[in-house]
């Protein structure tokens, strides 16, 4: 779960953190939770996805320029993640939503075989789920569009 929050914060371009100071013991345990859940690794993986998007946005089209653009984007994102500022912004968010005991319980869970398995398979489950969602959307969108249009017409909102 920690990696999901780190990934979302990475994608959102930063988070405005609560101004209240987090007790140092809680902060250390939140950082330990992020270490146990490999939140930084997930952030890097998300950074790789962002790098792929950057390739598309730049419009480079030769294999060499695509590869170089991906490398430059990945390096830039890695540099941004390495300074620890994202972690500093995430700690107060965790502290706001989880008690210290919650954090300790999550650490204990993720250190179990089941917790480690969950960390291992969750990215694959998310990827497969996203692919399924895209396929599902392609299947149902024509019907949804037809129904929405019909209702808007019936209510006189469109011609």
């Amino acid at each position: 779960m920690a990696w999901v929050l780190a990934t979302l914060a990475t994608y959102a371009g930063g988070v405005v953190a609560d101004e209240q100071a987090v007790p140092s013991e809680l902060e250390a345990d939140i950082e330990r939770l992020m270490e146990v859940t490999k939140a930084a690794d997930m952030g890097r993986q998300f950074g790789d996805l962002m790098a792929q998007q950057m390739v598309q946005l730049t419009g480079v089209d030769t294999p060499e320029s695509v590869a170089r653009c991906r490398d430059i984007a990945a390096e830039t994102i890695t540099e941004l993640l390495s300074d620890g500022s994202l972690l500093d912004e995430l700690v107060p968010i965790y502290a706001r939503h989880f008690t210290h005991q919650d954090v300790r319980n999550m650490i204990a869970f993720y250190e179990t075989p089941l917790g480690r398995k969950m960390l291992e398979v969750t990215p694959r489950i998310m990827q497969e789920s996203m692919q399924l969602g895209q396929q599902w959307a392609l299947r149902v969108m024509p019907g949804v569009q037809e129904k929405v249009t019909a209702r808007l017409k019936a209510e006189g909102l469109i011609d």
Side-chain angles (χ1 to χ4, degrees):
M1 177 158 39
W3 65 269
V4 172
L5 292 175
T7 302
L8 290 174
T10 301
Y11 185 73
V15 182
V16 177
D18 190 353
E19 294 297 321
Q20 293 182 2
V22 176
S24 60
E25 287 183 20
L26 175 56
E27 181 175 357
D29 281 343
I30 291 170
E31 289 173 1
R32 173 75 181 130
L33 175 63
M34 290 186 188
E35 178 184 317
V36 169
T37 59
K38 300 179 182 168
D41 292 346
M42 296 299 175
R44 278 189 285 282
Q45 289 175 7
F46 193 75
D48 291 343
L49 291 174
M50 290 176 61
Q52 290 174 5
Q53 290 177 344
M54 290 301 302
V55 168
Q56 293 172 348
L57 291 173
T58 61
V60 295
D61 57 0
T62 66
E64 297 82 16
S65 59
V66 166
R68 187 64 186 134
C69 181
R70 184 177 288 129
D71 289 346
I72 291 169
E75 289 169 10
T76 303
I77 292 164
T78 298
E79 288 172 14
L80 289 170
L81 292 173
S82 69
D83 74 358
S85 63
L86 179 59
L87 176 65
D88 293 342
E89 293 183 44
L90 286 171
V91 167
I93 294 171
Y94 276 71
R96 194 167 43 247
H97 295 283
F98 296 110
T99 66
H100 199 161
Q101 190 59 49
D102 291 338
V103 172
R104 289 178 178 151
N105 290 344
M106 285 187 283
I107 292 169
F109 170 73
Y110 286 117
E111 288 178 334
T112 68
L114 177 59
R116 287 190 297 275
K117 180 179 181 177
M118 185 171 174
L119 291 171
E120 180 185 320
V121 301
T122 297
R124 291 190 297 254
I125 291 171
M126 294 298 293
Q127 181 180 18
E128 291 174 31
S129 298
M130 288 173 47
Q131 289 171 346
L132 175 66
Q134 289 172 344
Q135 293 167 358
W136 177 82
L138 288 172
R139 268 194 330 266
V140 302
M141 279 313 290
V144 170
Q145 185 177 2
E146 184 179 304
K147 288 179 181 182
V148 169
T149 301
R151 287 186 63 187
L152 290 172
K153 285 181 180 179
E155 293 182 22
L157 298 171
I158 62 172
D159 294 327

